[in-house]
């Protein structure tokens, strides 16, 4: 049996998974929507990954999880390693681009920047509040223009004179966009202006005060948009690299960390048939009324968190 490592990156929008061999080669990968149900999404993901490998020859010996639901999914999968997105993305990216100095990431609802020196994270910033520098901004504006967000990038490249869009916030951007369309700006110029606005917002928000050094690697859903890539290159004056597996970097990173941890676990692909439940209970032992999240595997409580002090700790038995 060959040893393999599973990495799962579970966010509020999408769930990504990879299986790596000992040399970081991707044996299987999948990207699916989380649809508000992280446990259901992971069950589907595992089923999809299983179909891509020969389980009589390959054995998952270690698992890592990252993303906003990493803790929950780490418990469900009995993960050896649970790491935040910054670490996971940095490890995944440096495994492919060892010299990378700056990682730009723009997802559907958030964005981040990671600065790296000699393969080590030296600074980072995240934005989860302002939509104006994210993919959801681009998709909502695309809809207004009657376009698919996939058509956006190519159209933007046709522009010779991007329209200036007042895009510091989505509300202003929407009314400005309607105004610019009414006074006769071409669609390709408006679209190029929106790509530029996303880049400007990103650089003024998470990129504020950060020294951006090449090589730059761009990832997250928006990295598939050639219009945004071009705007980044125009504004930074640097080449911006986009890996074909850029959407998998977090999962790759955490699978590598699982391998490096040396902690081997038992894993069964058949988790689809196991019932996992989460239940919130309030601790009333003081005025904080902490909500404690309990995770059950069948009838057994397998983990619980959310208590701000030990008085509210719920004992877990190992079954
Ligand atoms: S967990 Fe601790 S802080 Fe929270 S309500 Fe219970 S006693 Fe209070």
């Amino acid at each position: 049996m060959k040893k393999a490592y599973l990495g799962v990156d579970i966010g509020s929008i999408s769930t990504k998974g990879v299986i790596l061999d000992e040399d970081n080669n991707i044996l299987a990968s999948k990207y699916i929507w989380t649809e508000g149900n992280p446990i259901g999404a992971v069950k589907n993901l595992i089923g999809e990954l299983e179909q891509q490998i020969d389980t009589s020859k390959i054995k998952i010996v270690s698992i890592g999880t990252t993303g906003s639901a990493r803790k929950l999914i780490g418990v469900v999968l009995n993960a050896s390693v649970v790491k935040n997105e910054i670490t996971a993305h940095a490890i995944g990216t440096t495994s492919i681009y060892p010299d990378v100095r700056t990682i730009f990431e723009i997802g559907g609802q958030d964005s981040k920047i990671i600065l790296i020196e000699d393969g080590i994270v030296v600074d980072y910033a995240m934005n989860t509040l302002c939509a104006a520098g994210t993919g959801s901004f681009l998709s909502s504006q695309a809809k207004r223009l009657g376009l698919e967000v996939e058509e956006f990038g190519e159209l933007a490249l046709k522009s010779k004179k991007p329209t200036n869009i007042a895009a510091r916030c989505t509300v202003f951007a929407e009314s400005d966009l309607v105004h610019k369309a009414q006074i006769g700006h071409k669609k390709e110029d408006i679209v190029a202006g929106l790509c530029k606005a996303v880049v400007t917002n990103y650089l003024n928000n998470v990129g504020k005060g950060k020294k951006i050094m090449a090589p730059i690697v761009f990832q997250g859903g928006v990295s598939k948009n050639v219009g945004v890539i071009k705007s980044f290159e125009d504004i930074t004056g640097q080449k911006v690299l986009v890996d074909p597996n850029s959407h998998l970097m977090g999962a790759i990173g955490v699978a590598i960390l699982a391998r490096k941890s040396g902690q081997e676990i038992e894993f069964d692909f058949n988790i689809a048939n196991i019932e996992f439940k989460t239940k919130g209970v309030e601790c009333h032992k003081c005025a904080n009324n902490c909500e404690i999240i309990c995770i059950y595997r069948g009838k057994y409580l397998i983990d619980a968190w959310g208590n701000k002090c030990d008085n509210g700790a719920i004992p877990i038995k190992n079954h």
Side-chain angles (χ1 to χ4, degrees):
M1 282 288 235
K2 276 197 173 147
K3 288 184 178 182
Y5 307 88
L6 169 64
V8 177
D9 178 358
I10 182 140
S12 53
I13 307 281
S14 61
T15 297
K16 287 79 71 178
V18 292
I19 297 176
L20 301 185
D21 68 10
E22 304 262 15
D23 301 315
N24 297 349
N25 297 307
I26 299 177
L27 305 176
S29 68
K30 190 71 191 173
Y31 181 110
I32 59 172
W33 303 116
T34 309
E35 292 177 334
N37 178 4
I39 294 176
V42 159
K43 285 182 172 181
N44 290 340
L45 180 84
I46 299 296
E48 296 274 358
L49 292 173
E50 183 183 13
Q51 286 174 21
Q52 295 177 35
I53 59 165
D54 182 349
T55 49
S56 66
K57 296 197 178 122
I58 291 166
K59 186 171 186 268
I60 305 286
V61 295
S62 193
I63 298 173
T65 61
T66 186
S68 55
R70 60 186 177 271
K71 193 165 177 185
L72 169 66
I73 298 309
V75 171
V76 166
L77 294 176
N78 188 22
S80 311
V81 167
V82 176
K83 283 280 175 204
N84 66 48
E85 293 97 316
I86 300 292
T87 309
H89 278 267
I91 298 286
T93 311
T94 52
S95 75
I96 298 168
Y97 302 93
D99 300 331
V100 63
R101 295 293 305 273
T102 308
I103 301 172
F104 292 155
E105 173 158 352
I106 307 185
Q109 304 213 309
D110 56 16
S111 56
K112 47 183 158 309
I113 187 167
I114 308 174
L115 305 183
I116 295 180
E117 249 178 70
D118 299 325
I120 292 164
V121 175
V122 288
D123 197 5
Y124 70 90
M126 279 177 91
N127 160 42
T128 51
L129 296 174
C130 172
T134 70
S136 65
F137 171 74
L138 277 183
S139 3
S140 61
Q141 304 313 318
K143 259 195 215 129
R144 285 193 160 258
L145 294 166
L147 294 167
E148 291 299 323
V149 73
E150 292 77 20
E151 309 168 61
F152 233 72
E154 295 294 340
L155 189 58
L157 292 189
K158 292 193 182 131
S159 167
K160 300 226 162 32
K161 199 168 171 285
T163 301
N164 267 329
I165 308 273
R168 248 176 309 145
C169 104
T170 48
V171 180
F172 280 128
E174 270 167 25
S175 61
D176 198 35
L177 184 130
V178 171
H179 174 67
K180 295 283 163 55
Q182 277 168 353
I183 60 170
H185 284 252
K186 288 191 209 148
K187 230 178 213 186
E188 63 253 36
D189 292 338
I190 296 180
V191 164
L194 284 169
C195 292
K196 200 174 148 198
V198 164
V199 169
T200 314
N201 281 329
Y202 174 90
L203 293 172
N204 287 336
N205 189 320
V206 289
K208 197 171 181 185
K210 303 273 184 268
K211 200 164 174 209
I212 290 160
M213 307 281 287
I216 300 169
V217 177
F218 179 24
Q219 48 205 34
V222 177
S223 66
K224 309 278 178 206
N225 185 316
V226 284
V228 177
I229 299 171
K230 182 170 183 300
S231 289
F232 264 128
E233 291 189 334
D234 288 348
I235 293 173
T236 61
Q238 303 285 354
K239 175 107 192 84
V240 170
L241 307 165
V242 179
D243 192 86
N245 287 323
S246 66
H247 55 297
L248 299 174
M249 285 306 169
I252 292 173
V254 87
I256 293 173
L257 289 168
R259 174 173 59 74
K260 287 189 173 166
S261 77
Q263 286 178 44
E264 299 203 351
I265 45 106
E266 286 300 318
F267 174 71
D268 185 350
F269 273 99
N270 191 27
I271 69 156
N273 298 325
I274 301 171
E275 196 196 5
F276 293 95
K277 268 192 316 223
T278 56
K279 201 169 106 186
V281 290
E282 276 193 9
C283 171
H284 295 296
K285 290 183 183 156
C286 86
N288 279 338
N289 290 338
C290 295
E291 189 185 18
I292 302 171
I293 308 294
C294 301
I295 317 295
Y296 293 86
R297 180 189 172 118
K299 61 182 177 179
Y300 298 114
L301 178 70
I302 54 172
D303 209 345
W305 60 79
N307 47 302
K308 288 201 179 82
C309 79
D310 287 346
N311 287 339
I314 298 180
I316 315 288
K317 291 186 201 117
N318 285 324
H319 300 282

